[in-house]
Amino acid sequence: MTTELESTAGTIATPAARRVPHRPHIRTWSPAVLLALLMLAGAAIAAVLLFVAAHGLNRVALETEAQVARAILDDHLDDQAQVTLDRAWPQAPGARGVLPLDRDWASYELGTAFSRTFGFDASFVIDAAGRTLFASRNGAPQPPEAAPRPHPGLDRLIAAAVVRPDGRPQPAAGVLLLDGAPHLAAVAPLRPAPLSPGESGGASPGVLVTTRPIDRGLLDRHARRFLLPGLRFESGADAPGTPLTAPDGTRIGALVWTSARPGDALTGWLLPALLVAGGLIGALAWRIAAAWRDEQRRAALVRNRLSAVLEGAADAIVLFDAAGRVADVNHAAERLFGQPEEATLGQPLGALLRAADGGELTPDRLTGAGGQGCDLLAVRGAGPAEKEVPVEVRASRIACEGAPLYSAVVRDITLRKELENGLRAAKEAAEVASRAKSQFVATMSHELRTPLNAIIGFSEIIRDQAMGPLGDPHYASYAEDIHEGATHLLAVINDILDIAKVETGAMTLSERPVAPEALVTACVRLMRDRAERAGVTLVEAVDDATPAVLADERLLKQMLDNLLSNAVKFTPAGGSVTVRAAPTKDGGLAISVADTGEGIAPEVLERVFSPFVQADGRLSRGHEGTGLGLPLTKALIERHDGRIELVSAPGRGTVATLLLPPGRVLGREGATV
């Protein structure tokens, strides 16, 4: 059965599907498996605790034994120091002291008695000058040379055995290495002799030294008494155990023994029980894990099938919870949002999808469309590379146990939106073209009909000689009117042809150096008659140092004529028009025409550069014109790599400025108009 399940799962699982069981948010652990793992963990912890406790018991036992060994040594030193002091400085009135020295008395009391009663192997009487007055070893008198002098440790003890300022003696004791063997040594100051009743002692005339070997008998006796088996002395500065240090700080060896190690006994009978319990728990855990693996294998088969469907979908699929946080995504969603799955899991929906109105995206809002879907914006990428992509989202609730879960099918509708925008743009362009055509027809019919009517009417009068023979002076005036009307028609047609050339790229420039002051003077001279008839004052404000520019002279004049014509046309009588030419801060050239006319409204200012558009679009307007002056001027200045700026406000006049780039500024040499 297991083989069949594994084979079936292997044939269905795609690479996308095989990655699904590894997702942390999909894998779940069986309670039985968790219980088995907890049992194994408990057994392991118990074993660790057992070893820790055993180690702790061993350490505590070793420390206690070391304290006992040190206490034994200290007790012996204290006892020996007291015995030595009692003999060197008797407290009873009239008791005999060591001095004056009686060799027979000293041979018995300091030799035989010390050796038999207290086990001292040697005793010495040394005076204040350091001379040995008496020496005894193993209860028998010895020559003074038998005293171990000089000896650093013994000398340190002798120096420490003093009479305190209050007159009380201070003994000293320590461990010495004598003849290669450790000894307990005690030194006590000698009482001055003789002393009268009530007389206090002065400085000590010498010291009494006693030594006792730390031999096997002494150590065995204490080993049995204090449960320190194998208690012995090991020499050497690096010997382990309780260190034995001479009074001069030299380590002479250590007391060592065999520690009881009660922790080993504890592990000796608890460890087998733990091993048996661990084996039983392991067997139980293996059976539970095997059953869980079979269950997981069956669940994986179903999951792989569902995953194959999910990952094979062409549309992006996003699973999210009731809080609006992403629970899972498919490969198509990773491609759509431009982020790996790990970066999207747990993120709020707002990090992937946005509403055009900026509102919050909630499960109720997404599922409330009734299956019709809603248009949103998908966030593709992150950081500076982030961009929004139009998508259609259809969301629904998934029937499952536990917390509610929702699925959203997200489809990229960028192509559809582009087609819609293209159709909308084409429709708007058609409407604009239609309005432009209507405007063109309305404007041109007015601009063409008026001069044509004059031409036809006056030509008929001349043809029919309505005023008499042709020699009548009125005919000359009529001919002038005919000429003016024809000239106006030619200007209109020329403007239309020029703007068509610019738009089709057929306009070529005949460039040459042009002096701005001469250009302004020529244009103002041509416009002066018209300005005087309109009652408008023309003012030139051109600096003689203004540099020459490289431009098409005819087109530059045409641009300035158009601006002057508009300024004079829209400036009422009594107003003024000022023409300025000056270098710009960036090294270019600015030619501006400022009037004190009626100005242009802001809503009209945005579209005055469109062909056939005028500030006053009514046919009954008070000013003639085709509406091509500013569009043509804009096209011509841009053909010169420049631009035009227009600043105006109703009732405050208008300032139109032609800006030529620094690359066209030459200087004054060779400039002509």
Side-chain angles (χ1 to χ4, degrees), residues 103-117:
R103 291 192 174 274
D104 293 336
W105 177 86
S107 176
Y108 178 77
E109 293 294 337
L110 303 182
T112 304
F114 271 2
S115 176
R116 292 177 180 177
T117 306

Side-chain angles (χ1 to χ4, degrees), residues 26 77 150 177 198 220 239 246 365 375 407 422 436 529 549 608 670 672:
I26 290 181
L77 288 173
L177 190 64
D220 288 345
R365 178 176 180 178
D375 291 349
S407 69
D529 290 342
V549 293
V608 292
T672 62

Side-chain angles (χ1 to χ4, degrees), residues 265-350:
L266 177 66
T267 56
W269 63 271
L270 279 182
L271 185 59
L274 283 176
L275 292 176
V276 172
L280 293 177
I281 293 174
L284 178 61
W286 183 85
R287 292 297 303 272
I288 293 175
W292 179 77
R293 282 197 302 270
D294 292 340
E295 179 184 353
Q296 289 298 303
R297 226 177 255 116
R298 289 190 292 269
L301 177 62
V302 177
R303 192 161 58 244
N304 289 339
R305 290 173 177 172
L306 294 177
S307 179
V309 175
L310 179 69
E311 300 296 344
D315 292 332
I317 299 177
V318 179
L319 303 182
F320 57 96
D321 56 22
R325 295 197 170 273
V326 178
D328 198 5
V329 296
N330 64 349
H331 279 327
E334 293 179 359
R335 293 191 299 270
L336 174 63
F337 298 115
Q339 300 184 49
E341 173 193 6
E342 293 77 11
T344 59
L345 298 182
Q347 295 291 325
L349 276 177

Side-chain angles (χ1 to χ4, degrees), residues 231-283:
L231 182 63
R232 63 192 182 278
F233 169 79
E234 287 189 4
S235 62
D238 298 330
T242 300
L244 298 181
T245 304
D248 62 349
T250 303
R251 180 170 176 174
I252 62 176
L255 291 178
V256 296
W257 61 92
T258 302
S259 180
R261 298 184 64 82
D264 295 347
L266 177 66
T267 56
W269 63 271
L270 279 182
L271 185 59
L274 283 176
L275 292 176
V276 172
L280 293 177
I281 293 174

Side-chain angles (χ1 to χ4, degrees), residues 127-152:
D127 64 8
R131 297 187 298 270
T132 302
L133 304 180
F134 174 79
S136 174
R137 282 188 178 272
N138 299 319
Q142 299 291 327
E145 293 79 10
R149 298 294 306 282
H151 189 286

Side-chain angles (χ1 to χ4, degrees), residues 452-631:
L452 282 176
N453 286 337
I455 292 172
I456 294 172
F458 289 125
S459 63
E460 287 178 350
I461 292 175
I462 296 174
R463 183 195 62 185
D464 298 338
Q465 298 184 11
M467 302 300 297
L470 293 177
D472 191 287
H474 289 89
Y475 292 131
S477 175
Y478 298 155
E480 179 66 25
D481 292 336
I482 292 172
H483 179 270
E484 184 178 347
T487 302
H488 177 72
L489 288 176
L490 179 61
V492 171
I493 294 171
N494 285 337
D495 286 347
I496 295 175
L497 293 177
D498 286 342
I499 200 168
K501 285 182 180 180
V502 174
E503 290 179 350
T504 58
M507 174 70 72
T508 58
L509 302 181
S510 177
E511 298 179 345
R512 57 178 296 184
V514 179
E517 64 271 20
L519 174 71
V520 171
T521 301
C523 292
V524 170
R525 185 173 59 250
L526 293 176
M527 193 60 60
R528 193 172 298 281
D529 290 342
R530 181 177 174 183
E532 289 176 354
R533 289 196 301 270
V536 177
T537 302
L538 292 181
V539 180
E540 295 181 50
V542 181
D543 189 352
D544 293 340
T546 303
V549 293
L550 183 65
D552 188 310
E553 176 187 341
R554 181 183 66 84
L555 298 181
L556 197 57
K557 280 184 178 181
Q558 186 176 355
M559 288 184 273
L560 189 54
D561 285 340
N562 287 340
L563 297 182
L564 281 171
S565 176
N566 282 344
V568 172
K569 182 193 305 183
F570 293 103
T571 300
S576 64
V577 175
T578 302
V579 184
R580 292 182 174 87
T584 59
K585 293 181 179 180
D586 61 355
L589 180 68
I591 303 175
S592 63
V593 177
D595 63 58
T596 59
E598 56 195 40
I600 305 174
E603 62 274 10
V604 179
L605 193 62
E606 298 176 357
R607 53 189 180 87
V608 292
F609 290 109
S610 299
F612 309 109
V613 174
Q614 294 187 342
D616 188 356
R618 299 171 300 171
L619 293 178
S620 60
R621 60 184 179 269
H623 308 287
E624 61 180 11
T626 60
L628 294 176
L630 286 177

